[in-house]
Amino acid sequence: MEEEKDVAVSMAKLWNLDHFAVARGDGAPGETIADMFWNGVTKRSDLTLMRQKEFGLWRAWSWHDVGVIVREIALGLASFGLRPGECVSILANTSVEWVWSDLAVLSAGGVSNGIYPTDSTDQVHYLCEDSRSVVLFVEDEEQLDKALEARGRLPLLRKIVVFDDTGLAGFSDPMIVTLQELRRQGVAHDKEHPGLFDSLRCARWPEDLAILVYTSGTTGRPKGAMHSHRGLLAAARGNVAFLPQDETDERMCFLPLCHVAERVVGMYSSLVTGTKMNFVENPDTVPENVREIAPTVFGGVPRMWEKFYSAVTIAVKEAGPVQQRAYAWALSVGYAVADRVLHGRRVGLWLKLKYALAGMTALNNVRRFIGIHRCRYLATGAAPIAPDLIRWYLALGVPMLEAWGQTECGGVATSMPPQAMRLGTIGRACGYNEVRVDAATGELLVRGPNLFMGYLNQPEKTAETIDPDGWLHTGDVGAVDADGYFKITDRMKDIIITAGGKNVTPSEWENEIKFSPYVTDAVVVGDRRPYLTAIVMVEQENVEKFAQDNDVPFSNYASLVKAPEIHGLIRDEIEKVNKKFARVEQIKKFYLLETQLSAEDEEMTPTMKLKRKFVHQKYAEHIEAMYR
């Protein structure tokens, strides 16, 4: 019965998308993030707010449970002398403790700032110094080491709070307390100062600074984007209009909470709607955890959607001929239905019946294999995505809605309307902001209540980014059609002008090559050059599988990518993509990165995108070699 229900829901997604037009759930009132959260605690006291897997078992916390914890932490911070408006930083992976700490800081009248757990000691020092942080939460011993190394240069820092004290037995330092100790101090402080918590909760106004979100800093020092309570709530509540959800929904929390997407579109929007948050064990267990959680709404970045597609593609290649033919037929039926939906055409009874059979034959299993069999929709953002990938997920029966925005606009400025999807675009402007194309430069501009307050300590950068009329200059080049659908063509600074004077948009080619199961990412090179080349990072697991199946010898990652057979494999993938582009836009030569990079490497952003400028600099010698 459960599988039949899943099939019916998936079919409904393709043929009747009207239920997306109505926001599900009335949210929680309040003019600050803290007010909104505490009104949610009152309204949803016994409902489950979050779950996290510990020692192989899922543990749940109700709204009431979280409220008790947040109150204890907030008053513990008050016992340290935290004053309204002072900043507290959080250095940890995404977890329930991260959320508790963030809400506690805001409930105590403070300003909350997130630091990526992959940041170096010098970066931790800079971010704490720039934000004038007085308390630093750290996840574990590894992150504590960074804090201890940096604290000598942070005279404003009063306390360091450790979430997980494993490995710290016998360690003693007057500046360091565990989260449990902090909570106990909070309980004692509450008894000594009755009524203090309520006054702290009301200490901030809607227009006051609530959080800092630092940019990735690919072109210099990271900039602290300042977001007010009012702006965050405008974005979080507005998200529900295009990503409807309510207390019956479940989502998976795994992206960095110091990134605006997981913080605002994920966490704060979930608090508005009452959506249950499920936290993965760690970033490496996402594929396993998503199958356990089976979220009903699911947002992620293109890299993740590409990995799911690659896993299915490789699994099908390893299957028997009967299973391969069944998948191919089922997918062709899915594409037929998807194409009719995309063109706004009615799906006839015969095709509906074929699609139901396609589901039972293969598509249901594919959805379960990924873990999206309960999803009403998928959301993608933070980087461009190949239209063919969106079409593939739609063929499976799950609409993928592309959204676009950036840190400075609270996460999302445009979104794809599910009732009228248009591939190759980023949808229409969200209802809470305006978006237009600058007539002179082609740059996309955004204006609305969701915009940030400016960059911390950098008024000149703020003035460069927001003009006197309140328009945010995004740096993205795009266009808009007669129906209000926007399209990103590239970043203003990334457009390539070849030696022949031809303007080339590198992201279009890069998006296509990432659709290959053997490629993780690529950077196109060619500014002022006679032809285009590419730096390519391969998908290690799939390429290793190819090497093993084809008896290609290798001893490590570097020897793998140097093998002639692997060069041939990637050359074939590049040629497939080249056929879609004009000659001047085709890649003539390529270089395979000899190191498998992760978010901890300086070449990568926290959302797993290669830093174009940094790659150009670090691999300049290999780039020059391709033009000799």
Side-chain angles (χ1 to χ4, degrees):
M1 286 298 294
E2 185 67 26
E3 182 161 335
E4 291 177 3
K5 180 181 178 182
D6 291 343
V7 174
V9 170
S10 296
M11 292 165 66
K13 294 188 196 100
L14 284 169
W15 303 322
N16 180 14
L17 297 168
D18 292 341
H19 66 287
F20 277 95
V22 180
R24 297 157 61 95
D26 54 2
E31 294 186 313
T32 66
I33 296 294
D35 284 344
M36 178 268 291
F37 166 69
W38 286 102
N39 286 328
V41 171
T42 300
K43 176 184 177 183
R44 308 176 178 122
S45 178
D46 295 328
L47 296 180
T48 298
L49 171 57
M50 56 182 62
R51 296 194 311 151
Q52 183 165 283
K53 199 169 187 181
E54 299 179 347
F55 306 110
L57 299 174
W58 286 95
R59 180 180 175 185
W61 290 266
S62 69
W63 280 81
H64 172 77
D65 296 334
V66 175
V68 170
I69 294 169
V70 168
R71 182 187 179 102
E72 292 172 354
I73 297 174
L75 287 164
L77 292 171
S79 74
F80 294 161
L82 180 71
R83 296 185 296 272
E86 289 188 317
C87 186
V88 176
S89 289
I90 306 170
L91 173 60
N93 281 293
T94 297
S95 64
V96 293
E97 292 88 353
W98 208 112
V99 176
W100 299 342
S101 302
D102 182 68
L103 292 172
V105 172
L106 297 177
S107 296
V111 174
S112 178
N113 171 53
I115 302 177
Y116 288 102
T118 54
D119 280 355
S120 67
T121 299
D122 286 342
Q123 289 170 315
V124 171
H125 166 255
Y126 170 76
L127 295 176
C128 288
E129 181 180 57
D130 190 62
S131 63
R132 299 178 64 85
S133 293
V134 297
V135 177
L136 174 61
F137 287 93
V138 298
E139 180 176 2
D140 51 22
E141 184 179 10
E142 177 186 356
Q143 305 302 341
L144 176 61
D145 287 341
K146 298 176 187 177
L148 292 176
E149 190 174 341
R151 69 172 171 175
R153 296 173 285 162
L154 297 171
L156 297 179
L157 191 64
R158 299 174 200 151
K159 288 289 182 179
I160 300 171
V161 183
V162 184
F163 293 161
D164 180 2
D165 62 353
T166 301
L168 298 176
F171 178 81
S172 178
D173 189 303
M175 182 182 276
I176 299 167
V177 299
T178 67
L179 186 63
Q180 290 300 321
E181 291 171 346
L182 175 64
R183 290 176 58 183
R184 286 193 289 269
Q185 285 186 227
V187 172
H189 201 67
D190 198 6
K191 292 178 181 178
E192 295 169 3
H193 300 84
L196 174 62
F197 181 73
D198 290 333
S199 65
L200 291 175
R201 270 183 55 189
C202 301
R204 304 294 278 172
W205 295 88
E207 58 272 14
D208 284 337
L209 175 63
I211 69 170
L212 296 171
V213 180
Y214 277 84
T215 61
S216 59
T218 57
T219 56
R221 284 290 196 181
K223 301 185 293 292
M226 301 185 291
H227 286 277
S228 69
H229 288 274
R230 189 189 304 280
L232 292 171
L233 286 174
R237 288 174 173 147
N239 290 336
V240 184
F242 64 89
L243 297 176
Q245 51 195 289
D246 62 19
E247 296 162 359
T248 66
D249 281 307
E250 296 196 42
R251 62 180 300 272
M252 188 170 78
C253 306
F254 65 101
L255 295 172
L257 272 164
C258 40
H259 191 278
V260 71
E262 190 68 75
R263 187 83 159 276
V264 182
V265 185
M267 171 185 164
Y268 292 152
S269 292
S270 294
L271 293 175
V272 167
T273 60
T275 302
K276 184 189 298 181
M277 296 183 281
N278 296 275
F279 292 82
V280 301
E281 295 170 81
N282 60 67
D284 296 328
T285 61
V286 169
E288 294 78 21
N289 290 156
V290 67
R291 286 191 282 268
E292 294 179 75
I293 295 166
T296 60
V297 293
F298 193 3
V301 296
R303 181 71 204 108
M304 183 187 68
W305 306 126
E306 291 156 3
K307 286 185 73 69
F308 287 156
Y309 166 79
S310 296
V312 172
T313 301
I314 297 301
V316 170
K317 285 186 177 182
E318 294 176 350
V322 174
Q323 294 162 305
Q324 290 179 357
R325 286 194 293 270
Y327 170 77
W329 174 82
L331 192 61
S332 69
V333 175
Y335 278 138
V337 175
D339 289 341
R340 298 188 75 85
V341 170
L342 290 170
H343 290 91
R345 296 161 59 191
R346 188 179 66 85
V347 178
L349 177 61
W350 174 239
L351 189 52
K352 288 182 181 180
L353 294 173
K354 285 178 66 178
Y355 185 74
L357 181 58
M360 290 183 283
T361 302
L363 300 187
N364 295 349
N365 290 334
V366 173
R367 287 194 296 270
R368 288 186 178 278
F369 176 78
I370 298 172
I372 58 174
H373 50 285
R374 291 205 303 156
C375 278
R376 292 187 290 108
Y377 60 81
L378 309 173
T380 184
I385 190 169
D388 284 345
L389 192 58
I390 295 177
R391 182 170 171 261
W392 181 77
Y393 280 98
L394 189 57
L396 294 185
V398 190
M400 177 174 283
L401 309 178
E402 186 169 7
W404 167 83
Q406 53 189 205
T407 298
E408 291 81 356
C409 64
V412 178
T414 72
S415 60
M416 186 67 66
Q419 304 91 336
M421 296 174 65
R422 191 167 296 184
L423 298 188
T425 77
I426 52 172
R428 297 170 174 155
C430 297
Y432 49 77
N433 62 204
E434 304 171 77
V435 182
R436 70 179 179 88
V437 179
D438 185 273
T441 63
E443 183 180 15
L444 292 188
L445 309 179
V446 181
R447 182 169 66 181
N450 52 309
L451 294 193
F452 76 141
M453 303 165 65
Y455 296 116
L456 181 68
N457 305 325
Q458 299 194 48
E460 70 290 343
K461 291 291 185 183
T462 300
E464 291 174 10
T465 305
I466 300 181
D467 66 28
D469 293 324
W471 288 99
L472 170 70
H473 288 250
T474 67
D476 281 332
V477 179
V480 61
D481 65 20
D483 297 320
Y485 285 81
F486 288 87
K487 181 178 182 180
I488 298 291
T489 54
D490 220 317
R491 293 288 293 173
M492 292 186 72
K493 61 176 180 270
D494 291 342
I495 292 177
I496 291 174
I497 304 177
T498 66
K502 171 67 176 176
N503 282 24
V504 175
T505 301
S507 61
E508 293 185 7
W509 193 94
E510 292 162 357
N511 291 342
E512 290 291 340
I513 194 62
K514 287 188 289 185
F515 195 54
S516 164
Y518 302 111
V519 174
T520 292
D521 206 352
V523 170
V524 173
V525 179
D527 197 46
R528 313 296 174 182
R529 306 278 193 170
Y531 52 85
L532 300 183
T533 60
I535 304 290
V536 178
M537 182 166 69
V538 303
E539 171 59 58
Q540 181 176 2
E541 184 178 348
N542 293 346
V543 171
E544 284 183 352
K545 183 67 170 59
F546 173 88
Q548 292 164 357
D549 291 345
N550 292 274
D551 297 322
V552 178
F554 67 95
S555 57
N556 54 31
Y557 184 84
S559 66
L560 174 70
V561 298
K562 288 179 181 178
E565 296 87 346
I566 302 305
H567 270 256
L569 171 68
I570 302 303
R571 185 182 301 110
D572 290 344
E573 296 298 300
I574 287 174
E575 286 306 314
K576 292 176 186 176
V577 174
N578 276 343
K579 291 177 182 178
K580 301 181 180 182
F581 292 86
R583 285 178 62 87
V584 71
E585 298 171 317
Q586 294 179 359
I587 300 301
K588 306 300 181 186
K589 296 182 180 180
F590 64 94
Y591 170 74
L592 299 184
L593 292 178
E594 296 178 4
T595 303
Q596 180 65 19
L597 304 174
S598 69
E600 297 185 7
D601 292 291
E602 52 190 353
E603 294 98 319
M604 303 293 290
T605 70
T607 51
M608 293 301 294
K609 295 179 290 186
L610 282 170
K611 297 178 182 177
R612 189 180 304 277
K613 183 177 179 181
F614 192 91
V615 167
H616 280 219
Q617 294 171 346
K618 183 167 183 177
Y619 300 98
E621 181 180 342
H622 297 288
I623 291 173
E624 292 302 323
M626 291 189 285
Y627 289 99
R628 290 185 190 132

